[in-house]
Amino acid sequence: MTTKRPLNVVKIAKMKQQKDRLTMITAYDYPSAKLAEEAGVDLILVGDSLGNVVLGYDSTIPVTLDDMVYHSRATARGAQHTFIVADMPFMTYHGSIDETLKGVRRLMQEGHAHAVKMEGGIEIVPAVKAIVQSGVPVLGHIGLTPQSVNTIGGYRVQGKDEADAKRLMNEAKALEQAGAFAVVLELVAEETAAAITRELSIPTIGIGAGRQCDGQVLVFHDVVKYASPYMEKRFVKTFADVGSQIREGIEDYVNEVKSGAFPAENHVFKADEGVSESLDSLYGGSAEQETPKNEGQPSAKEEVGAQR
Ligand code: KIV
């Protein structure tokens, strides 16, 4: 079990100077967070990709602040020694600053996050400044910003031509000046991401943004191929195939219940000696339902491993 202390924004900034690449993965609940922490990631993102990979929506737009708070709290319980960033969901930071800060308060106090992430550039600078001034670290997110998928015309690579590359550079600089501690670059041409990474003093964390970023982030379900809808994307690498293992395990379970192979002798709890005969004489018994005699099995009172 790990006893390490979570990173903080000062250490994260130092990691860029030391060229120590940041590793980030999403998690949404206790088991995914626990496994991510045990595997040694630097940061966990409770991403609003929750909508796609856990809740079954076809975009992140339906994800609510309540969803994020609930999943962030479960994640924090599973990864008590890891720096946790929670996404501000769709339209929770485009109204008044007061409203924005209320959402941030919930993610920090109820969701137990250490920082929040927000999608957008120049237009969210006032909100970023207000959040940072209130003492909460902000992770920026530019490039492909899934919450604005309807205005950017689909899931397209950003920063491919000079004008778009300059736009992204300006957005990244504006976020840095507003106080963001790092910026996620999603689906950005490698050369553009590399230039932004060189230009900023804060770390860039790439997803589909090439090899020169200061760190990388991937979605948990993509990394381990756990029924993820993103699986075929070029920027994703899957490092394990737990989805197939889970499916095969459940198929075996179904088959064994159907065939009677499960539960077997070692999965059952036996009544005291004589109880079977007494039940048979009281209620009648059939040869087919007869169970084996209690031979060295734990009694029902002992119930080893029967907490549920
Ligand atoms: O919600 C999410 O998982 C994200 C990552 C893809 C960066 O924003």
Side-chain angles (χ1 to χ4, degrees), residues 2-8 12 15 20-46 75 78-85 114 205 215-220 223-224 239:
T2 179
T3 51
K4 68 168 186 162
R5 291 162 68 90
L7 280 181
N8 55 52
I12 290 169
M15 286 174 76
D20 184 1
R21 291 199 180 96
L22 287 157
T23 56
M24 190 183 208
I25 192 168
T26 65
Y28 313 94
D29 55 14
Y30 179 87
S32 57
K34 189 167 186 300
L35 291 170
E37 178 167 284
E38 285 170 3
V41 298
D42 295 317
L43 304 104
I44 286 178
L45 171 66
V46 188
T75 301
Q80 295 179 15
H81 309 280
T82 304
F83 191 86
I84 294 174
V85 184
H114 299 104
I205 304 179
Q216 296 291 327
V217 55
L218 280 178
V219 168
F220 183 95
V223 171
V224 298
F239 292 82

Side-chain angles (χ1 to χ4, degrees), residues 172-224:
K173 285 185 174 179
L175 290 169
E176 174 175 44
Q177 275 159 22
F181 74 89
V183 185
V184 168
L185 303 178
E186 180 167 355
L187 222 54
V188 173
E190 185 171 52
E191 297 79 356
T192 305
I196 293 172
T197 302
R198 280 195 305 273
E199 202 65 22
L200 296 192
S201 61
I202 56 172
T204 57
I205 304 179
I207 173 165
R211 293 159 287 184
Q212 309 302 324
C213 295
D214 297 303
Q216 296 291 327
V217 55
L218 280 178
V219 168
F220 183 95
H221 292 56
D222 292 341
V223 171
V224 298

Side-chain angles (χ1 to χ4, degrees), residues 75-128:
T75 301
R77 282 195 290 266
Q80 295 179 15
H81 309 280
T82 304
F83 191 86
I84 294 174
V85 184
D87 251 331
M88 294 281 285
F90 182 66
M91 292 291 277
T92 54
Y93 47 100
H94 299 89
S96 71
I97 295 290
D98 259 15
E99 207 51 43
T100 300
L101 293 180
K102 275 186 195 152
V104 173
R105 183 197 67 69
R106 290 199 60 203
L107 287 172
M108 303 292 286
Q109 283 191 323
E110 298 171 41
H112 304 303
H114 299 104
V116 297
K117 176 165 83 59
M118 298 154 72
E119 294 181 7
I122 319 281
E123 74 288 2
I124 63 159
V125 161
V128 174

